Amino acid sequence: MVAETRTTDTRAAAGTGTGTGTGTELVSLTGWGRTAPTTARLLCPRTPAEAVDAVRGWGARGGIARGLGRAYGDAAQNAGGAVLDMTSLDRIRTIDAEAGVVVCDAGVSLHRLMEVLLPLGWFVPVTPGTRHVTVGGAVGADIHGKNHHVCGSFSRHVRSLELLTADGCVRTVLPGTDLFDATTGGMGLTGLILSATVQLHPVETSLMSVDTERTADLDDLMARLTASDHRHRYSVAWIDLLARGRALGRSVLSRGEHAPLEALPPRARRAPLTFRPRTLPPAPGLVPDVLLGRATVGLFNEFWYRRAPRSRTGELQTLAAFFHPLDGLPHWNRIYGRGGFVQYQFVVGYGQEDALRGIVRRISQRRCPSFLAVLKRFGAGDPGWLSFPLPGWTLALDIPARLPGLGAFLDELDEEVAAAGGRVYLAKDSRLRPELLAGMYPRLPEFRALRAALDPRGVFTSDLSRRLSL
């Protein structure tokens, strides 16, 4: 058993700029998309006891926890109330290096876990497209990654949680209980996650063995994923949403496995578990809005598709390059300009491929300039009542918020998704109409009932919860 107590300033690493210290400051906050700012009292506890005191005294407007600010929408905002910055609660309490189990504070980032655990031969079980998220955020959003079709979402690998509820009690919450299933994916609304016990994944190296291929169109991509996705632990496809006609949905498909030691060249075997992600200078604060117009994105998409190999197997890539390429550019969200952007992610079930084709066709016809668009397959659904994944196809895309008519267009897509039995991802949402939510999340009534019983005064609340009446 290993104990690790080092504290790092994860705010600086992620560039969220949410302040320091244990006091209170009035700040304007947005999600990672940089839209819809609201003002709240920001509290920055340094210890679990300070966090408990803050929750007990944060007033009638309630409060919500915030990690590294990577939720795209308004899930970690609370207009006129309190927001609790958890990033100073970042202690790794214990590591069982034999069993691959870590116990850590909710404010520990996945980046920090990788730094500490990779030299011991362990990797986080699930990682999204950024490693700059906290464990508490990973649980609250029940994050998924490129391996959902094999491993499910983050909550499947959580053995227990320490949760401060609205009555002031700190509870140990175990899988299989209603409170666990309401908390994983519950967007921080059942209580304050203080710590988590997580089962890890064993690795021999810090490199990935990656297969890459180009697909001609959306049908070609879906056929390849359906036929062989089960043979790969990780898979993701970048999709060109500006392509039309016979090239509709053309993609670059990447699939990977953790590289075994024998796959490394002799020199790399001397330090096979080295983890040193490269970082470029931060994106500038002022970026012209025209940078991501249709013409520019069209040229980028053409270049990106053509530069990809028709077929390549066994390329060695770093973990950072395969999982988190955008983390190499700090503040990459600034490239969308002052107007910010909307990330739209939905899932539709297997058997609803026509609905997926129709939505991709509509996005292409609408000429939405998205260069960050990915398609993945989900496996079995997760137990969280508001967890996003269900067995099917999920598409995520970034769209500049300034695009004329974007709100009405996305409202129409929401209706198509709902009609196909699908749903949108709450951790990325900033504009869903509340009347569509119950159809997308069938266990929403149970979540609302549990929350009403557990927190009748609305101690834990957010802009998201008020907007959607969660």
Side-chain angles (χ1 to χ4, degrees):
M1 193 77 72
V2 180
E4 206 279 338
T5 59
R6 177 180 170 184
T7 299
T8 59
D9 189 351
T10 48
R11 284 182 298 264
T16 60
T18 54
T20 59
T22 57
T24 300
E25 54 181 323
L26 201 62
V27 296
S28 177
L29 296 170
T30 71
W32 191 244
R34 303 177 73 200
T35 61
T38 58
T39 300
R41 291 183 298 110
L42 189 71
L43 311 174
C44 304
R46 294 290 187 182
T47 67
E50 288 182 0
V52 172
D53 289 343
V55 170
R56 287 173 176 166
W58 61 24
R61 193 68 175 168
I64 194 71
R66 184 181 178 94
L68 288 166
R70 292 304 177 100
Y72 285 78
D74 54 2
Q77 298 170 225
N78 182 28
V83 171
L84 198 66
D85 181 341
M86 295 292 289
T87 54
S88 290
L89 300 178
D90 61 352
R91 183 168 60 101
I92 298 177
R93 301 183 184 184
T94 62
I95 302 169
D96 187 334
E98 294 294 324
V101 176
V102 63
V103 182
C104 61
D105 289 349
V108 173
S109 70
L110 297 192
H111 174 85
R112 181 62 184 147
L113 287 182
M114 293 176 197
E115 285 184 323
V116 172
L117 297 171
L118 273 168
L120 303 176
W122 297 99
F123 188 62
V124 294
V126 172
T127 178
T130 175
R131 60 186 179 273
H132 296 303
V133 296
T134 63
V135 170
V139 173
D142 201 13
I143 59 170
H144 56 272
K146 297 176 175 69
N147 59 344
H148 188 277
H149 62 290
V150 175
C151 299
S153 62
F154 195 85
S155 65
R156 287 204 204 172
H157 309 273
V158 175
R159 290 189 171 187
S160 68
L161 296 170
E162 197 177 41
L163 183 72
L164 171 67
T165 50
D167 57 6
C169 295
V170 176
R171 308 171 187 234
T172 299
V173 185
L174 301 177
T177 63
D178 284 353
L179 186 52
F180 186 91
D181 292 344
T183 299
T184 54
M187 307 309 296
L189 298 172
T190 61
L192 182 67
I193 300 169
L194 295 173
S195 71
T197 301
V198 183
Q199 179 67 57
L200 306 167
H201 176 68
V203 294
E204 295 181 7
T205 75
S206 60
L207 294 176
M208 301 294 296
S209 176
V210 181
D211 300 343
T212 306
E213 54 189 316
R214 289 193 315 212
T215 70
D217 54 33
L218 182 60
D219 285 341
D220 183 22
L221 171 63
M222 290 193 292
R224 296 191 197 199
L225 284 170
T226 300
S228 59
D229 211 28
H230 62 281
R231 296 200 293 266
H232 302 269
R233 186 175 185 87
Y234 303 99
S235 65
V236 66
W238 169 87
I239 183 168
D240 182 0
L241 291 177
L242 287 177
R244 292 185 285 186
R246 290 185 297 177
L248 180 75
R250 66 178 182 176
S251 305
V252 178
L253 173 59
S254 300
R255 295 186 277 203
E257 307 285 346
H258 293 281
L261 187 61
E262 60 266 22
L264 272 58
R267 186 172 182 178
R269 295 182 196 177
R270 300 174 190 169
L273 292 165
T274 299
F275 180 64
R276 296 193 187 97
R278 297 179 180 178
T279 303
L280 297 171
L286 294 176
V287 178
D289 288 342
V290 297
L291 180 65
L292 291 181
R294 291 186 179 97
T296 306
V297 173
L299 289 172
F300 172 86
N301 286 3
E302 183 69 25
F303 166 77
W304 195 257
Y305 182 77
R306 295 297 177 188
R307 75 179 289 274
R310 292 185 182 275
S311 180
R312 179 175 62 201
T313 60
E315 180 192 16
L316 292 178
Q317 294 184 10
T318 65
L319 289 169
F322 182 73
F323 289 110
H324 315 120
L326 287 174
D327 282 348
L329 179 64
H331 304 295
W332 65 262
N333 56 342
R334 294 176 180 172
I335 66 177
Y336 287 88
R338 290 181 175 177
F341 69 98
V342 173
Q343 178 155 117
Y344 186 69
Q345 183 168 9
F346 69 90
V347 57
V348 293
Y350 296 123
Q352 295 293 333
E353 285 76 14
D354 283 345
L356 176 63
R357 292 186 190 98
I359 291 172
V360 170
R361 186 174 296 109
R362 289 197 62 184
I363 294 171
S364 173
Q365 292 171 345
R366 183 67 170 71
R367 310 299 289 157
C368 292
S370 176
F371 75 95
L372 293 175
V374 295
L375 183 76
K376 294 181 288 193
R377 292 175 82 246
F378 280 158
D382 302 289
W385 292 350
L386 297 186
S387 290
F388 169 64
L390 56 81
W393 306 94
T394 180
L395 176 65
L397 60 150
D398 292 350
I399 312 172
R402 59 178 171 76
L403 193 68
L406 179 61
F409 178 66
L410 293 181
D411 284 347
E412 293 171 2
L413 295 190
D414 289 341
E415 293 176 0
E416 293 190 38
V417 169
R423 59 180 60 145
V424 299
Y425 191 15
L426 297 183
K428 296 182 177 180
D429 176 59
S430 59
R431 24 77 40 211
L432 179 68
R433 301 199 316 273
E435 60 267 26
L436 293 177
L437 189 65
M440 293 180 172
Y441 289 89
R443 303 199 73 173
L444 179 62
E446 295 170 75
F447 178 84
R448 285 172 169 162
L450 182 143
R451 187 174 173 228
L454 190 66
D455 184 8
R457 296 184 294 111
V459 171
F460 295 98
T461 191
S462 66
D463 291 352
L464 175 76
S465 69
R466 280 190 291 269
R467 176 168 57 84
L468 295 177
S469 300
L470 292 174

